[in-house]
Amino acid sequence: LALTHRGNMADTKPKTSPKAIKFLFGGLAGMGATVFVQPLDLVKNRMQLSGQGTKAREYKTSFHALFSILKNEGVSGIYTGLSAGLLRQATYTTTRLGIYTILFEKMTGADGRPPNFFLKALIGMTAGATGAFVGTPAEVALIRMTADGRLPPDQRRGYTNVFNALARITREEGLTTLWRGCVPTMARAVVVNAAQLASYSQSKQALLDSGYFGDDILCHFCASMISGLVTTAASMPVDIVKTRIQNMKTIDGKPEYKNGLEVLLRVVRSEGFFSLWKGFTPYYARLGPHTVLTFIFLEQMNRLYKTYVLDG
């Protein structure tokens, strides 16, 4: 009925891909980018676990970590946990995009006016937190798989892939363990979303005002790198809490850490205040390529879809 009513308009309106395709492409683009940045994620997780408790720090710098992992565990070693990284992207990115789009449309006024900055931020945080909740099991598997190689062989968990990890965690430690650390995981998503939103538009404005930049892809890239710096600095302390809680073992019925606050206090007390930012380099180095590659993959998929499906 609506179509006949706006028949003339419908012809001029450009064809767009359905929502499901958008979410699918968003998830796939994130997964494609993950294949390239997985080793950086591994190094970050190892850095955050190194020096835990009284042990001396295993790795002096990120490069030292990368080379030592390559030496001891080989090239396949730096790709440990890739299946979990991919599942995390598939669950987290797709849920986040989906919720964001749905809420964005709900909050758009009848006159087509988009939600204001404050509402947008709220939508972003809600979508991020929900996505993080859905992605927590993959996140737990990822942390444990990337951490495994640092343990002596008899203490390793030895998960073969992400589904094996999820099945074994459920069997050995109960279903709720899959959502262990979901509070810091969701908190990190909220911090990341808030920091990104606030710093990206500010950085972009500052770059444009400097007169050296036009509103083009270079400006967007530089703005996202500055924003990445702020985001990394803000979310790192929450991230180390998440990493350690998700990796901890229960010894004689007692978990290593009672809660997130205890992780923070113990890290600061025994490893120093700046240890909260351990793994900063690989975490930051991962952001740039991940964002850029996601956009590149997304653009290519949209282009192919348009060529073969919409105009086919």
Side-chain angles (χ1 to χ4, degrees), residues 49 62 75 91 120 133 163 168 192 218 243 258 286:
L49 292 166
S62 307
V75 176
T91 48
K120 249 197 240 165
F133 182 78
F163 300 110
R168 273 188 48 198
V192 164
L218 177 70
T243 300
K258 284 200 287 292
R286 172 183 175 277

Side-chain angles (χ1 to χ4, degrees), residues 182-309:
C182 78
V183 175
T185 306
M186 289 162 77
R188 181 189 68 171
V190 169
V191 170
V192 164
N193 272 295
Q196 249 169 359
L197 263 174
S199 56
Y200 180 76
S201 41
Q202 293 295 93
S203 321
K204 193 169 138 188
Q205 207 42 58
L207 291 174
L208 290 173
D209 293 346
S210 75
Y212 294 110
F213 288 89
D215 195 352
D216 52 17
I217 192 136
L218 177 70
C219 168
H220 300 173
F221 177 72
C222 293
S224 67
M225 289 314 282
I226 298 168
S227 147
L229 209 53
V230 178
T231 307
T232 306
S235 61
M236 217 70 229
V238 191
D239 195 59
I240 193 167
V241 168
K242 171 188 153 311
T243 300
R244 295 215 175 171
I245 280 186
Q246 290 175 335
N247 188 52
M248 72 181 179
K249 289 186 169 169
T250 305
I251 301 153
D252 303 328
K254 273 215 327 259
E256 283 176 75
Y257 299 104
K258 284 200 287 292
N259 52 40
L261 193 62
E262 192 194 347
V263 179
L264 286 178
L265 293 174
R266 270 171 54 182
V267 168
V268 172
R269 205 169 49 233
S270 59
E271 300 164 48
F273 179 68
F274 289 104
S275 287
L276 293 176
W277 283 272
K278 256 190 231 180
F280 187 94
T281 318
Y283 194 51
Y284 178 57
R286 172 183 175 277
L287 270 179
H290 196 274
T291 312
V292 174
L293 287 165
T294 302
F295 277 125
I296 292 172
F297 284 129
L298 202 51
E299 285 300 307
Q300 294 308 317
M301 286 193 283
N302 283 333
R303 199 175 55 94
L304 291 170
Y305 184 78
K306 190 178 177 320
T307 313
Y308 291 108
V309 182

Side-chain angles (χ1 to χ4, degrees), residues 114-149:
N116 61 28
F117 180 77
F118 178 70
L119 261 179
K120 249 197 240 165
L122 205 64
I123 294 173
M125 288 183 205
T126 311
T130 317
F133 182 78
V134 175
T136 301
E139 198 84 65
V140 172
L142 176 71
I143 298 291
R144 292 182 168 200
M145 288 168 81
T146 50
D148 224 20

Side-chain angles (χ1 to χ4, degrees), residues 45-236:
N45 292 338
R46 292 285 178 97
M47 294 290 288
Q48 288 180 323
L49 292 166
S50 91
Q52 193 169 8
T54 50
K55 268 207 322 222
R57 285 176 66 164
E58 291 149 86
Y59 308 119
K60 293 189 211 38
T61 64
S62 307
F63 294 108
H64 174 218
L66 188 61
F67 288 125
S68 111
I69 294 165
L70 267 173
K71 198 173 79 210
N72 300 328
E73 300 165 49
V75 176
S76 63
I78 60 168
Y79 269 98
T80 312
L82 179 64
S83 60
L86 292 174
L87 182 67
R88 172 181 72 174
Q89 276 302 325
T91 48
Y92 171 68
T93 313
T94 317
T95 310
R96 192 184 63 186
L97 283 172
I99 304 250
Y100 186 85
T101 313
I102 292 161
L103 288 177
F104 197 88
E105 284 179 356
K106 287 256 187 294
M107 302 281 186
T108 302
D111 52 357
R113 216 180 37 238
N116 61 28
F117 180 77
F118 178 70
L119 261 179
K120 249 197 240 165
L122 205 64
I123 294 173
M125 288 183 205
T126 311
T130 317
F133 182 78
V134 175
T136 301
E139 198 84 65
V140 172
L142 176 71
I143 298 291
R144 292 182 168 200
M145 288 168 81
T146 50
D148 224 20
R150 57 189 279 280
L151 295 170
D154 58 323
Q155 287 177 30
R156 286 185 193 169
R157 292 184 165 111
Y159 303 135
T160 47
N161 59 48
V162 66
F163 300 110
N164 170 261
L166 296 176
R168 273 188 48 198
I169 293 170
T170 310
R171 202 171 57 235
E172 293 161 18
E173 303 167 63
L175 190 64
T176 51
T177 309
L178 291 179
W179 273 272
R180 178 181 287 167
C182 78
V183 175
T185 306
M186 289 162 77
R188 181 189 68 171
V190 169
V191 170
V192 164
N193 272 295
Q196 249 169 359
L197 263 174
S199 56
Y200 180 76
S201 41
Q202 293 295 93
S203 321
K204 193 169 138 188
Q205 207 42 58
L207 291 174
L208 290 173
D209 293 346
S210 75
Y212 294 110
F213 288 89
D215 195 352
D216 52 17
I217 192 136
L218 177 70
C219 168
H220 300 173
F221 177 72
C222 293
S224 67
M225 289 314 282
I226 298 168
S227 147
L229 209 53
V230 178
T231 307
T232 306
S235 61
M236 217 70 229

